């Protein structure tokens, strides 16, 4: 999965869990993805740390492979 898609999906999951379906709809998360996210149980601390790392990568402050390595270390 590409890093920008991982970022989008993690933000969608965090939005569903934190703010509900209405907020997820406002940021463009499809209803089918919302149903998928509701069935998941992920550690929110890891989700937020991953979003932070991916955001740094999007801003160009981190090389993509370093970003991928840090995400792998978060989830291992």
């Amino acid at each position: 999965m590409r890093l920008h898609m991982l970022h989008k999906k993690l933000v969608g999951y965090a939005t569903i869990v934190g703010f509900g379906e209405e907020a997820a709809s406002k940021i463009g998360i499809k209803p089918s993805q919302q149903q998928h996210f509701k069935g998941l149980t992920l550690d929110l601390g890891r989700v937020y740390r991953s979003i932070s790392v991916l955001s740094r990568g999007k801003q160009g402050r981190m090389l993509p492979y370093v970003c991928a390595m840090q995400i792998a270390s978060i989830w291992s």
Side-chain angles (χ1 to χ4, degrees), residues 3-62:
L3 293 177
H4 71 280
M5 288 303 298
L6 179 60
H7 181 266
K8 182 177 180 180
K9 289 184 182 219
L10 288 174
V11 168
Y13 177 79
T15 303
I16 284 284
V17 171
F19 301 106
E21 292 179 33
E22 185 178 334
S25 296
K26 287 182 181 179
I27 65 167
I29 305 299
K30 297 176 184 173
S32 61
Q33 284 183 328
Q34 291 178 19
Q35 293 300 320
H36 176 71
F37 292 149
K38 285 182 186 177
L40 297 176
T41 53
L42 301 175
D43 179 15
L44 281 179
R46 288 180 175 180
V47 170
Y48 292 140
R49 284 191 311 236
S50 297
I51 290 171
S52 175
V53 168
L54 288 165
S55 294
R56 280 184 268 152
K58 280 179 80 173
Q59 294 171 356
R61 297 187 315 180
M62 186 182 300

